[in-house]
Amino acid sequence: MNKHVKNYFKLQPVNLSLIFGMVLVYLYEVIQSFGLIINVDVLFKDGAQYYHAVVGRGEWWRLLTAGFLHVSPSHLLFNLVVLYFVGKLLEWQIGHLRYLVLFVLSVMAGNLLSLGTGAMNGVSAGASGGIYGLFGAMIALGFLDRDNDFWKREARIIGLLVGLSIFMALFQSGIDLAAHIGGGIMGMLLTPILLVKNPNMRQIKINWRLQMVAIIGVVLFVALGFMLALGRL
């Protein structure tokens, strides 16, 4: 049994570490809140995103820490289930370090776009930006890997789910749609960059033009996010 667990962990050490880490962080939040629903004060103290703290006081680290906080058991459970199944597949395919870069930068990009277009006086938290970054990567793989029906099929399914979730979010309150969209865009842009010299994805040929377009896209997207966020002061 121990050997099986060790081998399983070797396949997705980053993904499982992210999941365990988020569970531990949530338990820490519960202890501070004396309840399963985390109050705003605890979220803010632990690093949730708040426009006036990030932009006004220069606490840019909240772009990352907010992605590891959750508000309720259902919020945490939904994100972790999706992260487990989608993240397991992607980490195995693109590699451990590349997967970590994909998730972290997608979290930060989603929160950055949220700063520029979302509510200025609300506190937000959750790993949704990172998860949508994984969705974006899978959609990009469906376009890039033309010889593999698996990625095409997965991309169609994920694309449908993303489109449906964005449509439903338009009619629901309390959902940070900007973070979802920002994370998804960053995931798509990062994929051609992360596939360069990837031993697990040799069947996908990334030419230098596509790499340059992706790099320029990342730079422009980040610049736009900062411009929008700073322009609201």
Side-chain angles (χ1 to χ4, degrees), residues 110-154:
N111 286 331
L112 181 60
L113 187 62
S114 176
L115 279 182
T117 61
M120 295 179 66
N121 296 315
V123 173
S124 62
S128 298
I131 290 172
Y132 271 73
L134 306 186
F135 289 162
M138 293 189 72
I139 293 172
L141 284 171
F143 285 101
L144 294 172
D145 194 357
R146 299 177 182 178
D147 299 325
N148 193 332
D149 288 336
F150 172 79
W151 288 115
K152 292 178 183 178
R153 183 174 62 253
E154 293 297 311

Side-chain angles (χ1 to χ4, degrees), residues 1-160:
M1 180 65 180
N2 290 335
K3 184 178 180 181
H4 176 73
V5 171
K6 288 179 180 178
N7 290 335
Y8 191 69
F9 185 79
K10 286 180 181 179
L11 291 176
Q12 50 171 334
V14 174
N15 197 44
L16 291 179
S17 296
L18 289 173
I19 290 172
F20 293 147
M22 289 179 193
V23 171
L24 291 176
V25 169
Y26 177 70
L27 292 176
Y28 178 63
E29 293 176 76
V30 168
I31 292 172
Q32 295 174 86
S33 292
F34 299 102
L36 296 177
I37 307 300
I38 312 304
N39 63 61
V40 173
D41 292 335
V42 170
L43 288 171
F44 179 79
K45 184 174 74 71
D46 288 348
Q49 177 158 289
Y50 178 58
Y51 178 87
H52 299 287
V54 178
V55 180
R57 300 208 300 250
E59 297 176 0
W60 294 97
W61 47 268
R62 290 178 181 271
L63 294 179
L64 177 60
T65 56
F68 291 85
L69 301 171
H70 289 85
V71 179
S72 67
S74 59
H75 185 208
L76 175 70
L77 182 62
F78 177 80
N79 279 348
L80 293 192
V81 168
V82 176
L83 184 62
Y84 173 77
F85 287 105
V86 177
K88 174 176 64 173
L89 179 60
L90 277 174
E91 182 174 357
W92 178 65
Q93 286 292 320
I94 70 174
H96 309 311
L97 181 58
R98 289 179 172 90
Y99 175 73
L100 179 61
V101 170
L102 172 65
F103 182 83
V104 168
L105 292 186
S106 296
V107 165
M108 298 180 73
N111 286 331
L112 181 60
L113 187 62
S114 176
L115 279 182
T117 61
M120 295 179 66
N121 296 315
V123 173
S124 62
S128 298
I131 290 172
Y132 271 73
L134 306 186
F135 289 162
M138 293 189 72
I139 293 172
L141 284 171
F143 285 101
L144 294 172
D145 194 357
R146 299 177 182 178
D147 299 325
N148 193 332
D149 288 336
F150 172 79
W151 288 115
K152 292 178 183 178
R153 183 174 62 253
E154 293 297 311
R156 284 195 292 267
I157 295 172
I158 293 296
L160 180 62

Side-chain angles (χ1 to χ4, degrees), residues 157-193:
I157 295 172
I158 293 296
L160 180 62
L161 291 176
V162 168
L164 182 61
S165 67
I166 290 176
F167 176 77
M168 293 176 61
L170 295 174
F171 304 97
Q172 296 178 348
S173 60
I175 296 178
D176 195 345
L177 185 57
H180 295 183
I181 294 173
I185 292 173
M186 180 58 72
M188 293 184 71
L189 291 172
L190 285 173
T191 302
I193 303 171

